[in-house]
Amino acid sequence: MKKQIILLAVLGILVFACVLSAGCTSKDAGISGTWELTGQSENATYSYTNGTLVFKEDGTGFMNYTHEADIRVTTPFIWTQVNETTYHCAFRYIVYLTENETALTVGGDPSGFSGSGFIGTWTLDESMVLDDGTFDAEFIFEKNGTGSFAWYFQNGTLESKYPLLWEWDKTYGYYVYYYPDDAYTAEFTIRSDGTGIAVYHETYQETYTRTTQQK
């Protein structure tokens, strides 16, 4: 799991459970608009700058930020209203394919995977050196909307494997996926002074100020 989190930090910060279905999506004008990142707690898992959260009235949104490696990342999410001031955000990962569908990247990360068509197996082009060794990685996308992500030792032995679900985003025209067993989510609350606070995994926090509001 540790290496999965490390890779996802590189690929783009990462989805969600029942909120995938249209029936789970709430619409509320109170949260809509653009919120600018103003601070992160010291225990934040990821460090980034120029962060914004964009909440759209249709229950969708985007997190935009610059990763510490100066990589620009866009991560979509679906939001639902929890109570009068709190909203649940469930994030997904964007899959970028070349036109001939032989090269794949995720989010804004330059690390590439090679394959032949989206449905099938994708292997990491260059082995990744982590704090406990050097590893290869593999995505598998099945026709039925399921798949997996796996880490392998360099001798080909499976180190870990994580199931995923994927779908085609008709609005924006790309594939997205998420890990149902390890969803990346946040609770966003509008405070009494009008600022916002996002709490991830009930652990670390980010603060935001609204810069624009949809009408």
Side-chain angles (χ1 to χ4, degrees):
M1 182 63 69
K2 181 178 181 182
K3 285 184 289 300
Q4 178 200 16
I5 293 174
I6 293 173
L7 177 64
L8 293 177
V10 177
L11 292 180
I13 305 184
L14 244 258
V15 128
F16 58 95
C18 83
V19 291
L20 225 181
S21 66
C24 292
T25 302
S26 300
K27 296 181 180 180
D28 184 281
I31 190 66
S32 63
T34 300
W35 297 76
E36 183 177 356
L37 177 71
T38 56
Q40 293 179 284
S41 59
E42 292 183 357
N43 65 335
T45 304
Y46 311 109
S47 175
Y48 50 84
T49 60
N50 303 318
T52 59
L53 287 173
V54 180
F55 291 86
K56 302 177 66 176
E57 292 185 355
D58 62 0
T60 65
F62 289 91
M63 172 188 278
N64 301 298
Y65 62 92
T66 301
H67 187 263
E68 57 187 355
D70 200 29
I71 299 171
R72 187 64 177 171
V73 176
T74 296
T75 305
F77 62 85
I78 290 179
W79 63 263
T80 56
Q81 188 170 8
V82 178
N83 55 44
E84 186 176 349
T85 59
T86 301
Y87 303 81
H88 178 79
C89 305
F91 294 85
R92 297 179 288 179
Y93 304 96
I94 302 174
V95 175
Y96 294 108
L97 293 173
T98 54
E99 187 173 352
N100 61 1
E101 295 193 354
T102 59
L104 176 155
T105 57
V106 177
D109 186 78
S111 300
F113 291 76
S114 295
S116 180
F118 176 72
I119 302 300
T121 301
W122 294 84
T123 55
L124 187 64
D125 293 333
E126 297 184 12
S127 300
M128 186 167 291
V129 179
L130 304 175
D131 56 2
D132 53 350
T134 302
F135 298 86
D136 294 314
E138 177 185 85
F139 277 109
I140 295 177
F141 297 100
E142 306 284 0
K143 290 183 179 180
N144 61 1
T146 66
S148 64
F149 173 80
W151 285 106
Y152 290 90
F153 295 105
Q154 284 197 299
N155 64 5
T157 302
L158 178 67
E159 193 277 339
S160 56
K161 191 173 186 177
Y162 309 96
L164 62 81
L165 298 176
W166 65 267
E167 66 173 356
W168 173 255
D169 190 309
K170 297 179 180 178
T171 301
Y172 296 100
Y174 46 58
Y175 294 102
V176 296
Y177 72 90
Y178 66 99
Y179 296 94
D181 295 337
D182 187 29
Y184 186 73
T185 62
E187 299 300 317
F188 189 95
T189 300
I190 302 176
R191 299 186 287 194
S192 59
D193 63 359
T195 61
I197 182 168
V199 180
Y200 297 85
H201 299 300
E202 301 181 351
T203 303
Y204 64 95
Q205 303 175 354
E206 296 174 349
T207 53
Y208 288 84
T209 298
R210 178 155 29 198
T211 56
T212 63
Q213 184 169 6
Q214 294 184 14
K215 298 182 180 180

